[in-house]
Each structure stands twice: as structure tokens, then as C-alpha cells.
Amino acid sequence: MIAMAVNTMHRVADAVEAAVSVPFVDIRACAVSALNRQGLKRPLLLGGSVVLQEDGFYVRYLKKHGIEVILPTPDERIKLDQIIFEEFPRQIFSDRAREYCYSIINRSVTARGSDSVILACTELPILFSPYIDENNGPRKPSIPIGAIQVPIVDTVLSHVEALASISLGRISSVEVAIFVDKYWVFNH
């Protein structure tokens, strides 16, 4: 089995899948599966600009599988890119960035009818998690992920769960090839 644990690199997923003879576990399919298990159809998609293109590889994939994707506004995408590409690589997970992402989520839920959020950037879940501050030691985030009032789909976690289920034999490689058309239920 092959997997790419990075949302942005799934822009080449179709080419990778076509070039290999083993199952390819697509992170986008894991997000669809997580949404389907919860009966969710209108997620806000958060990630970098490559993931958030209106007719891009990620949005097309979600729409193809019956998901009505809600995207941040163009201005919000610019600010998200600054956070993701300027702060995250320097290990900066600030309260300001956390509060900004939280405000995007709240606006999307209240004004646009989002029923969930897809965190389609590897570092976004870290933003809402407890962390170690170099100067002050362990800290809780100003806004924990539990404060978000709609279900969260962490694409990394969904991908890892799928890969673990496959590795443990809970689902077969044949099911991997078709699991997006029918969603599986994990044995938790």
C-alpha cells in the first residue's frame, strides 16, 4: 500500500495511483469517509491555497463524492497562507493565528451553514492542541479544539486511522480500492 501523508501533495494523487499496482490510500478519501460516517455534507475546508482552489484537485474530489464544500473567502485564504507558510514552518502556533482560524470557522457555521470543518493542512490540528512553549513550558491553547461547535475532520488522523485499519487487517486491500464509494466503519 502507498500513502502520502500531506494534503497538498495529493495534487499528484491521480498520477501516483495510475502508476502503481498496489492500493493507494488517498487522504481525501479518508476525509470523505469521516464525513459520511457522521452524515455531514457541508464542511468548511481549511488549508493552504493549493488545497483551497475553487476548481482544484481537492475541491473537485470532495464534490465528486457528494460533499458541498464551503471555502474561506479570498481574503481569509490570503491570511491562512500567511499563517501556514510563514508561521508554521518556523514552529509559530500563536494565539492570534488560532483566534483567526476560529473566527473563520464561526463565520462559516453561522453565516454560511457549514456543518463541519475539514482541517486539510497537517499543522492545523496542532494549532488547537496543547503545546510546549519554549519560555513557559506546557500550555493549553487559548481556544482548544473542543471549543469548535461543529465536528472536526482532521485529515491526518483520518488517514492514520485508515492506514492502521488496513495494516491490522480490519479492512482488505480490495476494500481500500473502493472504500470511497462505500464508506467503512472503523471498529473502535
Side-chain angles (χ1 to χ4, degrees):
M1 119 180 91
I2 293 179
M4 291 186 295
V6 180
N7 287 282
T8 302
M9 286 310 299
H10 275 72
R11 65 183 169 209
V12 297
D14 294 341
V16 170
E17 190 169 17
V20 299
S21 60
V22 296
F24 176 74
V25 183
D26 192 312
I27 201 168
R28 300 167 299 174
C30 296
V32 170
S33 178
L35 291 167
N36 285 342
R37 285 194 316 271
Q38 299 176 72
L40 302 168
K41 292 291 182 197
R42 289 182 47 85
L44 168 66
L45 182 63
L46 288 182
S49 55
V50 173
V51 168
L52 298 180
Q53 292 174 2
E54 291 186 36
D55 194 33
F57 71 100
Y58 218 99
V59 172
R60 272 193 323 269
Y61 187 94
L62 294 173
K63 286 181 177 181
K64 176 177 137 183
H65 295 289
I67 305 300
E68 185 182 338
V69 183
I70 297 173
L71 297 173
T73 67
D75 288 340
E76 290 169 338
R77 288 184 226 167
I78 291 168
K79 182 71 173 175
L80 276 171
D81 264 6
Q82 289 172 344
I83 292 167
I84 291 169
F85 297 113
E86 293 174 22
E87 295 181 21
F88 290 175
R90 296 186 342 222
Q91 302 298 306
I92 298 172
F93 299 94
S94 67
D95 287 343
R96 181 191 53 73
R98 189 173 295 108
E99 290 160 7
Y100 185 74
C101 289
Y102 187 70
S103 71
I104 293 172
I105 293 167
N106 280 341
R107 279 191 300 277
S108 181
V109 169
T110 58
R112 300 171 73 201
S114 296
D115 65 3
S116 54
V117 178
I118 299 174
L119 299 179
C121 168
T122 308
E123 292 82 9
L124 278 171
I126 298 169
L127 194 60
F128 294 100
S129 300
Y131 60 97
I132 304 295
D133 181 303
E134 288 182 8
N135 301 316
N136 302 312
R139 291 195 56 206
K140 291 184 178 177
S142 59
I143 301 168
I145 204 159
I148 298 170
Q149 298 300 308
V150 293
I152 301 294
V153 173
D154 174 346
T155 56
V156 173
L157 181 59
S158 297
H159 205 210
V160 168
E161 286 178 336
L163 295 167
S165 291
I166 295 162
S167 297
L168 295 171
R170 292 185 183 154
I171 58 175
S172 72
S173 60
V174 172
E175 289 171 303
V176 173
I178 62 169
F179 80 93
V180 119
D181 295 321
K182 310 184 231 175
Y183 60 93
W184 70 63
V185 177
F186 291 105
N187 299 320
H188 291 320

